[in-house]
Amino acid sequence: MKNISIPTPSAPVVIVGGGPVGLALACDLGRRKVPVLLLEQREDCTESAKVVVVGVRTMEFCRQLALAEEIHNWGFPHDHGLDSVFVTSLDGYELGRVKTPRLREGFSSRFSPERELPCPQTWFDPILKRHAASLPGVELRYQNRVEWLEQDDDGVTVGVTDISTGRQYSLRTRYVIGCDGYSSTVRSLLGISMRGHPHLDVSVSVYVRI
Ligand SMILES: Cc1cc2nc3c(=O)[nH]c(=O)nc-3n(C[C@H](O)[C@H](O)[C@H](O)COP(=O)(O)OP(=O)(O)OC[C@H]3O[C@@H](n4cnc5c(N)ncnc54)[C@H](O)[C@@H]3O)c2cc1C
């Protein structure tokens, strides 16, 4: 594959992976006016549905990007209950309840101007994606999978497959940042092994429209 190299314009920073971390980094570098190219193997960012709740620290980061309000208003009804309820079955006994104020009830904390918010990844990632794509100097390239990396004294050559066409190309960059999740290609290409169990459990997220 390394021989089929079609040169493409280089970018000073290449982010591998367009999950929440890669997209957030593209937003952050974009606002600091660092040109960046993000390579994501999936067709779009709406294919993943892991995150359901956005934590306080992440909301603080989104606040810095002026995205907190959009995340607050993505569509979850502000008067719906947010308590987590532990039951013996759906029509059984309630065993316990973690109380959480509804969004419309407002919230104040001594520790943060933000609160944890329900915002599933199928809505959260597109908000980050739209923002990243709007910043000058940020390019998001979907259906582009990083296959190999070669580092030298001046930077890194990145081997990529454009999945939509099957075209293979390479590009030059100063820095590669691996944001490609737990099964990271970048990590394994660097020969860094993962300790512990890669799969702690098997979960399924289900959205029910009622
Ligand atoms: C069932 C479940 C529920 C969860 N719920 C929550 C929650 O409610 N709140 C919360 O904050 N967190 C939650 N998490 C954790 C959260 O999903 C992760 O912390 C988060 O997705 C990590 O983001 P990431 O961008 O680092 O990695 P990922 O989301 O894994 O994204 C990595 C991206 O890299 C891409 N990629 C991989 N290899 C390549 C390559 N070679 N070339 C190009 N692209 C590549 C992948 O396609 C993927 O899009 C949950 C996780 C699971 C499993």
Side-chain angles (χ1 to χ4, degrees):
M1 177 193 305
K2 288 182 196 174
N3 297 331
I4 314 168
S5 176
I6 303 165
T8 60
S10 58
V13 178
V14 167
I15 297 174
V16 185
V21 172
L23 286 170
L25 181 60
C27 291
D28 195 59
L29 290 175
R31 96 186 156 103
R32 294 169 201 277
K33 311 224 178 318
V34 178
V36 55
L37 169 64
L38 182 149
L39 299 168
E40 165 58 49
Q41 64 188 0
R42 289 176 297 148
E43 201 173 333
D44 198 4
C45 62
T46 51
E47 286 172 29
S48 184
K50 291 180 285 187
V51 173
V52 179
V53 170
V54 180
V56 178
R57 292 282 170 252
T58 308
M59 282 307 299
E60 288 171 359
F61 179 78
C62 293
R63 184 185 180 88
Q64 285 177 13
L65 297 171
L67 295 176
E69 201 170 322
E70 196 176 344
I71 293 162
H72 206 266
N73 295 313
W74 69 270
F76 190 86
H78 285 200
D79 56 348
H80 271 210
L82 283 170
D83 291 357
S84 299
V85 184
F86 299 86
V87 291
T88 53
S89 67
L90 280 181
D91 62 350
Y93 295 101
E94 183 174 321
L95 301 173
R97 179 176 289 258
V98 179
K99 285 191 172 294
T100 308
R102 292 159 204 254
L103 294 182
R104 70 142 192 253
E105 283 166 34
F107 177 77
S108 78
S109 154
R110 280 193 299 132
F111 307 107
S112 176
E114 293 297 334
R115 61 173 282 183
E116 185 179 277
L117 284 182
C119 182
Q121 203 165 355
T122 28
W123 282 268
F124 182 69
D125 285 8
I127 292 172
L128 289 178
K129 179 188 169 188
R130 274 196 300 278
H131 184 66
S134 75
L135 297 167
V138 175
E139 185 189 347
L140 308 178
R141 224 178 264 178
Y142 283 82
Q143 287 197 287
N144 277 252
R145 185 175 55 232
V146 169
E147 309 281 4
W148 54 268
L149 305 166
E150 240 168 44
Q151 182 173 309
D152 54 49
D153 289 346
D154 302 320
V156 188
T157 306
V158 185
V160 186
T161 300
D162 180 338
I163 296 167
S164 64
T165 60
R167 182 175 81 104
Q168 293 168 353
Y169 62 95
S170 65
L171 50 84
R172 284 289 291 170
T173 183
R174 290 279 292 154
Y175 302 99
V176 171
I177 307 180
C179 297
D180 45 352
Y182 79 95
S183 57
S184 170
T185 309
V186 174
R187 177 177 49 72
S188 34
L189 287 171
L190 289 171
I192 302 167
S193 60
M194 190 177 168
R195 276 182 296 174
H197 296 285
H199 297 282
L200 291 177
D201 72 352
V202 178
S203 319
V204 178
S205 298
V206 181
Y207 291 90
V208 183
R209 187 185 291 274
I210 301 175

